[in-house]
Structure formats: structure tokens, C-alpha cells
Amino acid sequence: MSVTLSVLVQTPAHSGVGGPLTYLSEEALPIGTLVRVPLGQRELLGIVWDAGHGLPAQGETALRLRPIAGVLHPLPALNPAWQALIRFTARYYQRSEGEVALAALPPSLRELSPEQLTRRLKRKAAAPKSKNTAEPLAPQPVKAVDRIPVPPNGLALTAEQEAVLHQMATQKGPFLLFGSTGSGKTEVYMQAVQRLLQAEPSAQALVMVPEINLTPQLEQRFRERFEPWLGAGCVVAMHSAMTPAQRLNSWLAAHNGQARMVLGTRMAVLASMPHLRLIVVDEEHDPSYKQQEGARYSARDLAVYRGQLEGAQVVMGSATPSLESWHHSRAASPDKPAGRYVRLHMPSRMGQSALPLVRRVDMNRQPRRTVFSGVLLDAMRERIGLGQQILVLLNRRGYAPVLHCPSCHWKSQCPHCSAFQVFHKLNRTLRCHHCSHTTAVPRACPECGDTDVRAMGRGTEQLEELLATQLEGVRRPDGAAPRIARIDADSTRAKGALENQLAQVHAGEVDVLVGTQMIAKGHDFRRVSLVAALDTDGALFSSDFRAPERLFSLLMQAAGRAGRDAQWSQQAGHACEMWIQTHYPQHPLFDALKRHDYPAFAEEQLQEREQAGMPPFSFQALLRAEARTQDAAQSFLKAVSLAAAELPGADRLSLYPPVPLGIQRVAQVERAQVLVESASRTALQQFLTAWQPLLRSARTQHRAVLRWAIDVDPLVI
Ligand SMILES: [Zn+2]
Ligand SMILES: [Zn+2]
């Protein structure tokens, strides 16, 4: 006797088959069980999804159902809370459940047969214990009281940290931890995890950071703190730079409850953690939390939802919170003093080190084409002479954004994109940062043959070169010439390159570090006493309404790199400084920055957004289409916009006319989009759900359209 099962598998994004398929099984299996099923000629990983009956698998009729191919028996079933999270993610971000669920599992799990998985788990269980292993690796119920019952000694807490932890212990949250750079947020996270595990030994905590390169240092701190107490394997990492085998191991440890802490990037928000009780989203403002392909979810927003779903406490931390989160932590109205998020405040830096003094250089008073103003150079020379370090921030890599010919006005346009190929002088190439098309730098202008081809504008490579000449003759206290290094996506491409470069900075071997936003994020440069930001004016007048928010946050974060070692900066006897070269020194953004006044900046921005009806006071989604011609992309968008007028929710939203994207052509593909905006999140969701089938059928009539996708709560418009 066999029973029917409804099984979720990964189906192509726009096949219209998003729901579960029906298979036969000799035994009834619990919902959430992982199985292998045939689909066409292939065999796939699937998840027993619900008790009801799904659609017959492609090409099958209800009378000819196929049996499942196997069961991944050793694994516990995925729990209902995880399933609910997947369902919500799929619904909210307008993707199929099958796509979201299977993408949330480690890729190598999708390939293992039940036999391979069993062998693998056996091998792990039989593996000899490593030196500091305090527990067997096989899945088993956890009894923490059996272990060394001595929790680690954390650092001595400041009064602010204690107060914040007390609030977390007595309130439900979600919390927005608004803490200065260097205020000790990580210690608060660690203490919160520790208190949780002391109270509930089998609990699990998820700690997310925005960037892969921030995970190793965090992992190390957590391991050093918790492994002596809970044994090896209590902390696992989860991010896309891990090998498939590592990812599988981490996922299995989280899924069977053995890993008590999962540290990872945005993908970790969908990890199966049956005993999840605490979620930390560090640097919650960071745009990297938004997935940019497939299901375009915000890991931060999902964390809040997941916390609610599973009864886990959620704490989001930042020195410059996203305006959305800040808004949610404001008083809703005078009679409702509490916002949706509880705001926790840690204004002081550890050890009383002061935030740097912000100095603005009016570039209108400098000679034309000045890169480093004289005053800034003098300050840099002085710092080097004192043995202090300097960060120079320029958010543009390469040598120059474009090459041009002054006689015929030829420019290094990418043949495949509506963008310029960037001049990289070090390897003499022109490289497109959108499609990676790379060519050798021409000896002469390809149009007119003039050999006087010039670089226009500047990137980090050029700054590095320029500084070498402008700092000539300057000496460090040991008499050596200053060392200049560069950190950006180009200099850190090789595996381990970033770690090496950072180690050199920490060891004091580097005096001036030039880099893109990569240097502003999270790293702890203890001997940096001067930070300079160049060419930031573009963001002040950008058409992207989020540009000022991102600039403010970038500058605050960069300023936060300076003077983190209080004792040292006091000895140095020099206030730390942040220099900003700008043509708009009076701009209110710089005023707020000078006062390190994020709340004032946020209030001003939120007022503007409220008046303009922009997020967080409205809700947005984008429909993007890609085609060989701009015309084809736009006519698809026009047709589906026209047909959308009668859909539910359509009367409560605005559908803007189709426009080309900022960079409209990438790799020979033309891109256009339609913005959908509503004051009601519900109306927007209702509308998008009803729009989907219409989009799928319209696509069959617009064959020139290669792809379309919906982006809910987009970060870039
Ligand atoms: Zn020319
Ligand atoms: Zn290109």
C-alpha cells in the first residue's frame, strides 16, 4: 500500500510550477522530511511539504504518479517554523516556495544520495576527536550541564552595556541597538548569547554580519570565548565563500541543534535552527543584507519576521541605523510612546576615546584640479612623522574612470554596456566593472590615432601613485619612507589577500591606506588618527534618494575607524581627525557629521521623505525586464502595466511609466523597469500576487523579453 506525498522541489523560476508535486511513497513521512524524487529524466532533492495533495509531477497524470526515489533518513525533518519562514519569504518577495526552500539548503545536500549522506554522517561521528574537542560530533540531544559548568568571563562591562543587557533581559524587542563605533556592541552580543545559553542550554543564536570578510574575526572572538565552555563545534560559520563541504557541515550542525551559534552573512537567515532563540543583525544598515538575485530578500527584515515567528529575540545594531529601522524605533505618536522597535542607546566609545574632529576643506578655494589640498597634505605629513596611520577613502577603484582623446573626443566606452571601461594602469587594461569586458590600453586613440590619450577623473590606483610623489621626503619616526598600501576589490581579489593586507596595517607596516568603502567597514585600525574622504559630493545631489543616507553612514563608519585605541591616542596627544574635501562645506549633511549627530541627520531625512511620500512612509516594488532591445523591454512593461489596472489593490497604488535603468545596457542586454508604489504594504502585496500570473502569460507573447523579476522593497531605484 502506498500513500501520496506532496513534495517541494526546485523548479525553474517562471515555470509557473511553484507549489509542491505529488509522489507515491511506501510509508507516510513526516512533513519536512528530505527526500529524493524523480523529475523528468533527473533525480532531485525534495521536501515533504504538506499533508495535502500537490499537482501531479510534470507530464504525469494522477493515475501515473511516480514513487519517490529515497529518503534522507538520518536527518531530522525541517520544522514547521522553518517552513513558515520559507512560505512567508516566497510570498512576500514574489518567488516560488520551491525556489526559496531549496536555495536555502546547502548546495551539496542537493547532490547527496541517502546512502552518501549516511556514510558521511557515520564518518563524521567516527572521526577522531581533535585536541580541544569536548563532545562527540554525532547528532545527539544536548546536555550542557554535563560540560565544564563554568561560563566564560567576558570583558568587564560598561554601565551602558549593562543597561542595554538589562533592557534586553526585561523586554521583548525587537531591539535597535544604536551604539557609536567602538562602543562595544560585539561584547553586548556575546554577553546576550552567553546569558541565553546559561538560561537555556539547548538554545541557538544566529549572529549576522554584512560582509564575508568580517566573519573570520568575529568567528575567532566567538570561538575563543565559547569553545572552552561548550566545546569545539559550538560555533559554526555560514557564508558563500566556504567550500561546499564546509557549508554542508555547518548546515548539518545547525540543523541537528549541535551548533549553538551560527555566524554568517545574509544567507544564514534561512538556516534551519530548531532551537533558535536569539538573532543578532550587526551593522543592520548595510545594503549587503539585501539579496540582489533570485528571491531578493532583506535578511534584516526577515530576521525580524523570523524572531516573531519562532519567539526568538532580535537585536539589530548600528552606529548609523537604516532610516527604516530608525523610523520604527521612533515614538509612533504622542500617546504611543513606544515604536515597533525598542531603541537601546550606547553613545560612549569604550575607554572614553573621543570621536574624531571633523574638518571640512572648501575645494572652491583650492586651485583647479587639486586632488589633495595643501592643508590636508600638511596634516598627513605631520601624522606620518609621529608614527601614526592615515586612511584615505575614495569610493572609486581603478586608475581613472575613463580614458579619452582630447583631439577627437573618443572615450573608452564599453562595447557591451552603457558604461565606460575603467582604466587600470597597473596591468595596462581597460576593464568594464559591469560586464568585466577587458582590453589592453590602446597605444593611440583608436579613432584618430592621436597618441595623447588621457585619463579623466581618478580612482584609488591613481591616488596611491599620487601620494607616493606628494609624500616624497617625508619620514617616519624610524627614518624610513612612508609605506602606502591600497585596499579595494582589485587589490584583494586573490584568496587571503585582504587578510594579509589588514595584518600589515595592524602591524604598523603601512602608514597610509588608500581604499574604497571596504576600508570603512568594521575593521579595527587601532593606530589610525586621520581619515580623509575625497570626492564625496556626487552623493549630495544624486537622483537616488538613498544616496545621502549611504554617504552619511559611510563617513560616520570611516570616522569611526580613527582613534579606537583610546590610551594610544591620548599618548599621541593629538586629537583624531576626519577630513572632508568638498565644494559644499555648508551642506547640512556635513554639519550633522561634524557633530556626530546621527539622530539630527535622520530626523531631517525622514521629514524630507515623509513630505515626498517615500519609504519608510510608502512601500515600493520594481518590475524589471531585460531584452535585446530597450524597445522590447519597455513594450513588455507597458503591456503589463496597462493590463494591471483592474487587479486587486491597483486602485491604491501608483504605477510609474517604464524607464531604462541607470546603466541601461549591460553585456548587450537592455534593461528597463517600472516602479510600483503604495502607502499600503497590504495593497502592494495583494497587487503583486495578482500580477504574477499576468506577467507569466504576457512573457509568452513578448518573446524578445529574456527575463523579468520583481524586487520588493528595492534598495536601488
Ligand atoms: Zn582621437
Ligand atoms: Zn561592459
Side-chain angles (χ1 to χ4, degrees):
M1 260 272 288
S2 44
V3 294
T4 57
L5 292 177
S6 85
V7 176
L8 204 59
V9 294
Q10 190 154 35
T11 43
H14 302 310
S15 63
V17 186
L21 306 173
T22 304
Y23 288 92
L24 293 175
S25 163
E26 281 174 14
E27 48 172 342
L29 293 169
I31 289 173
T33 304
L34 288 156
V35 290
R36 307 280 312 170
V37 293
L39 186 72
Q41 300 298 311
R42 296 176 300 159
E43 196 189 286
L44 302 174
L45 177 67
I47 307 166
V48 178
W49 201 240
D50 49 45
H53 299 273
L55 295 165
Q58 243 169 355
E60 304 291 330
T61 67
L63 299 171
R64 288 202 309 123
L65 292 174
R66 297 169 78 176
I68 58 166
V71 182
L72 273 65
H73 265 308
L75 287 185
L78 292 153
N79 71 7
W82 185 82
Q83 286 190 304
L85 174 69
I86 296 299
R87 283 202 172 95
F88 172 80
T89 307
R91 195 171 62 237
Y92 188 82
Y93 292 102
Q94 304 292 321
R95 306 297 288 200
S96 77
E97 288 180 356
E99 182 193 8
V100 176
L102 276 298
L105 301 177
S108 54
L109 188 63
R110 282 176 243 160
E111 274 121 51
L112 291 182
S113 69
E115 298 71 35
Q116 286 167 319
L117 181 69
T118 309
R119 273 204 301 279
R120 189 183 182 91
L121 290 170
K122 271 194 188 134
R123 225 179 20 241
K124 279 212 75 183
K129 291 174 189 177
S130 67
K131 215 168 54 192
N132 54 357
T133 298
E135 61 176 338
L137 286 164
Q140 55 169 237
V142 181
K143 282 189 282 172
V145 282
D146 293 347
R147 296 210 197 81
I148 314 164
V150 187
N153 286 320
L155 302 173
L157 294 175
T158 65
E160 284 177 6
Q161 287 172 325
E162 275 293 2
V164 157
L165 282 161
H166 178 73
Q167 276 181 282
M168 285 180 65
T170 50
Q171 295 178 59
K172 199 159 156 267
F175 301 98
L176 177 65
L177 174 52
F178 171 49
S180 285
T181 48
S183 62
K185 291 190 285 291
T186 309
E187 185 59 33
V188 168
Y189 306 149
M190 292 172 97
Q191 293 276 350
V193 172
Q194 181 176 331
R195 288 174 190 199
L196 167 72
L197 291 174
Q198 276 174 283
E200 193 183 333
S202 65
Q204 292 180 300
L206 169 63
V207 181
M208 289 195 288
V209 287
E211 297 273 331
I212 288 170
N213 61 53
L214 294 175
T215 48
Q217 42 177 306
L218 187 74
E219 201 183 330
Q220 193 190 347
R221 281 182 73 174
F222 270 80
R223 281 192 200 286
E224 280 168 7
R225 178 76 61 88
F226 290 103
E227 281 190 348
W229 177 36
L230 299 169
C234 67
V235 178
V236 297
M238 216 176 263
H239 54 77
S240 59
M242 294 163 69
T243 66
Q246 288 170 331
R247 262 176 79 176
L248 178 61
N249 285 344
S250 290
W251 186 88
L252 288 172
H255 176 58
N256 66 31
Q258 199 185 346
R260 333 308 292 287
M261 286 152 268
V262 172
L263 314 181
T265 52
R266 61 172 180 261
M267 61 153 60
V269 79
L270 295 176
S272 162
M273 297 177 71
H275 308 293
L276 184 64
R277 295 291 174 270
L278 173 67
I279 308 177
V280 173
V281 186
D282 192 24
E283 309 291 0
E284 66 85 33
H285 63 277
D286 199 294
S288 322
Y289 281 119
K290 180 88 158 90
Q291 169 81 12
Q292 292 299 345
E293 57 195 29
R296 291 162 165 80
Y297 61 82
S298 155
R300 176 197 64 214
D301 297 349
L302 281 185
V304 174
Y305 181 82
R306 187 171 186 179
Q308 217 173 37
L309 194 68
E310 304 192 32
Q313 202 166 51
V314 178
V315 54
M316 295 162 276
S318 177
T320 53
S322 63
L323 289 176
E324 280 81 1
S325 298
W326 187 256
H327 175 61
H328 291 322
S329 74
R330 298 199 296 178
S333 60
D335 52 317
K336 260 203 210 133
R340 272 177 57 200
Y341 299 167
V342 179
R343 190 185 300 166
L344 309 172
H345 197 192
M346 296 204 306
S348 316
R349 298 185 107 190
M350 307 265 290
Q352 273 89 48
S353 66
L355 279 161
L357 185 71
V358 176
R359 312 185 64 150
R360 290 163 283 190
V361 181
D362 185 351
M363 294 307 277
N364 300 303
R365 295 167 178 226
Q366 299 290 324
R368 280 194 64 203
R369 297 215 174 86
T370 298
V371 180
F372 290 98
S373 57
V375 274
L376 174 57
L377 276 175
D378 286 344
M380 290 171 76
R381 291 186 184 113
E382 191 187 354
R383 302 276 166 171
I384 294 169
L386 291 165
Q388 301 175 6
Q389 289 175 312
I390 296 163
L391 292 187
V392 180
L393 178 71
L394 176 70
N395 225 352
R396 195 185 304 123
R397 65 196 167 91
Y399 188 86
V402 55
L403 268 193
H404 87 131
C405 166
S407 19
C408 78
H409 304 294
W410 169 85
K411 287 189 176 68
S412 56
Q413 173 80 44
C414 173
H416 309 298
C417 306
S418 49
F420 293 115
Q421 280 180 289
V422 175
F423 174 35
H424 290 255
K425 192 177 178 185
L426 287 175
N427 52 10
R428 305 293 302 169
T429 57
L430 293 175
R431 195 185 318 146
C432 172
H433 289 179
H434 301 280
C435 73
S436 303
H437 178 68
T438 306
T439 47
V441 171
R443 287 176 192 285
C445 169
E447 294 287 322
C448 73
D450 193 327
T451 50
D452 183 29
V453 180
R454 291 178 194 173
M456 255 167 85
R458 58 191 159 265
T460 44
E461 256 185 35
Q462 192 178 152
L463 279 195
E464 187 187 11
E465 182 187 277
L466 188 69
L467 271 176
T469 53
Q470 302 211 311
L471 296 175
E472 220 169 328
V474 179
R475 288 291 173 262
R476 310 174 0 151
D478 63 4
R483 260 195 72 180
I484 302 163
R486 174 171 55 90
I487 290 188
D488 55 30
D490 298 314
S491 76
T492 54
R493 199 154 286 157
K495 198 170 160 58
L498 179 65
E499 289 73 19
N500 283 340
Q501 285 175 306
L502 290 175
Q504 286 177 5
V505 180
H506 293 308
E509 289 164 27
V510 170
D511 303 287
V512 185
L513 182 60
V514 176
T516 55
Q517 53 165 347
M518 279 177 89
I519 60 172
K521 284 188 185 178
H523 306 291
D524 224 347
F525 299 122
R526 301 207 161 260
R527 297 176 66 85
V528 167
S529 70
L530 190 155
V531 178
L534 310 188
D535 280 6
T536 56
D537 289 349
L540 299 175
F541 307 100
S542 167
S543 61
D544 178 355
F545 72 91
R546 284 195 172 86
E549 178 185 359
R550 279 198 296 268
L551 175 64
F552 189 84
S553 149
L554 176 66
L555 294 176
M556 280 282 276
Q557 300 285 335
R561 299 306 113 212
R564 292 179 66 115
D565 197 332
Q567 259 188 342
W568 169 81
S569 49
Q570 271 157 19
Q571 275 165 15
H574 267 72
C576 292
E577 290 176 349
M578 172 169 220
W579 289 64
I580 293 163
Q581 296 194 150
T582 172
H583 287 93
Y584 307 92
Q586 306 309 324
H587 196 282
L589 187 146
F590 296 132
D591 269 331
L593 185 74
K594 190 174 171 61
R595 300 191 308 268
H596 303 286
D597 194 348
Y598 169 81
F601 169 77
E603 288 307 320
E604 185 238 300
Q605 285 285 311
L606 283 170
Q607 261 174 33
E608 262 180 42
R609 293 218 193 154
E610 187 164 18
Q611 278 158 14
M614 284 178 186
F617 302 95
S618 67
F619 303 92
Q620 298 180 325
L622 288 174
L623 171 64
R624 291 211 171 101
E626 299 185 355
R628 285 288 169 215
T629 65
Q630 183 62 220
D631 218 37
Q634 293 210 13
S635 66
F636 168 76
L637 293 174
K638 269 185 207 129
V640 294
S641 299
L642 215 65
E646 301 299 315
L647 294 179
D651 53 330
R652 292 164 69 197
L653 52 80
S654 319
L655 212 62
Y656 290 82
V659 289
L661 261 72
I663 292 172
Q664 90 174 56
R665 190 167 53 109
V666 167
Q668 305 286 18
V669 172
E670 288 283 340
R671 314 182 304 167
Q673 67 184 24
V674 158
L675 173 66
V676 191
E677 198 174 63
S678 176
S680 155
R681 200 197 285 272
T682 319
L684 179 63
Q685 281 287 317
Q686 234 181 14
F687 170 79
L688 293 175
T689 307
W691 209 15
Q692 284 261 12
L694 204 150
L695 293 170
R696 274 196 293 272
S697 67
R699 164 79 159 68
T700 56
Q701 285 137 42
H702 290 78
R703 299 212 162 266
V705 171
L706 303 167
R707 275 180 291 273
W708 60 266
I710 291 175
D711 187 351
V712 181
D713 303 332
L715 280 189
V716 180
I717 290 177

